[in-house]
Amino acid sequence: MYNDEQLLSVTDYENLAKAYSSALKNKGFMIVQVDSEANKILLNEIFENLYSIKTYLFNLGGFLGTGKFYSLNERQLKKLSILFDYERAEFKTNPPRDKTKCLLKFLSSECRLIKNLISLSERTSFETQIQDIISARLTLLSQILDV
């Protein structure tokens, strides 16, 4: 039990820091105000975008090198689910059969996702992690579109 009035030794502070670090690894101390309706809507939009992108990329089947993006999307979907303790059934998307239209839908969803991730990063303590996600997505996207 922690006592604000107690004077701690160096070892006590070390143990406290280790416990704090361990709690962070186990999804503790998440600072995000998901209580507000606007933040819940934003998180839902982000995950809806991620699942739509997953569907579009799957249907593109590696068209123009999008296979790498599918893997990145899966890893980031999992990472964001852990960061925000988000559990929800996958969203259903009906992608167009035409690969060109599907690619354009993917790009449109990607733009919305990045816009929403920027907004989310301003509202949470996970700004660095979200910026890393955005950076990785933009880097890979620029590689795919560099034909």
Side-chain angles (χ1 to χ4, degrees):
M1 173 161 287
Y2 180 74
N3 179 358
D4 280 336
E5 303 300 319
Q6 180 182 0
L7 293 175
L8 300 176
S9 68
V10 173
T11 306
D12 292 334
Y13 278 114
E14 183 177 290
N15 291 335
L16 188 62
K18 285 179 184 176
Y20 176 76
S21 176
S22 174
L24 282 175
K25 289 180 184 174
N26 295 324
K27 297 189 288 185
F29 299 107
M30 289 188 294
I31 302 172
V32 60
Q33 294 181 355
V34 181
D35 298 335
S36 77
E37 194 60 34
N39 290 342
K40 287 180 184 177
I41 290 170
L42 180 60
L43 267 178
N44 280 334
E45 285 179 19
I46 287 171
F47 282 95
E48 185 174 353
N49 285 140
L50 286 165
Y51 283 115
S52 294
I53 288 168
K54 176 180 178 175
T55 302
Y56 297 139
L57 289 169
F58 181 79
N59 284 344
L60 285 169
F63 180 64
L64 292 178
T66 54
K68 292 178 186 176
F69 216 105
Y70 185 86
S71 299
L72 177 71
N73 194 69
E74 285 296 293
R75 288 191 311 272
Q76 291 180 343
L77 181 59
K78 185 177 281 189
K79 182 176 184 174
L80 286 169
S81 295
I82 291 169
L83 278 177
F84 295 101
D85 196 25
Y86 192 89
E87 293 181 27
R88 183 166 177 177
E90 291 190 21
F91 296 88
K92 302 296 180 203
T93 303
N94 293 324
R97 294 178 189 228
D98 179 78
K99 292 223 187 264
T100 304
K101 287 181 182 178
C102 193
L103 180 67
L104 293 173
K105 287 280 217 179
F106 156 66
L107 293 173
S108 173
S109 294
E110 188 64 30
C111 291
R112 275 193 308 276
L113 174 65
I114 290 172
K115 179 182 139 290
N116 286 337
L117 285 171
I118 290 169
S119 181
L120 182 64
S121 75
E122 295 169 349
R123 300 176 186 199
T124 70
S125 63
F126 299 121
E127 183 176 7
T128 304
Q129 291 94 327
I130 294 171
Q131 286 176 353
D132 290 344
I133 288 170
I134 293 168
S135 178
R137 295 185 84 84
L138 289 174
T139 300
L140 191 53
L141 189 60
S142 67
Q143 290 172 4
I144 289 170
L145 296 177
D146 187 25
V147 267

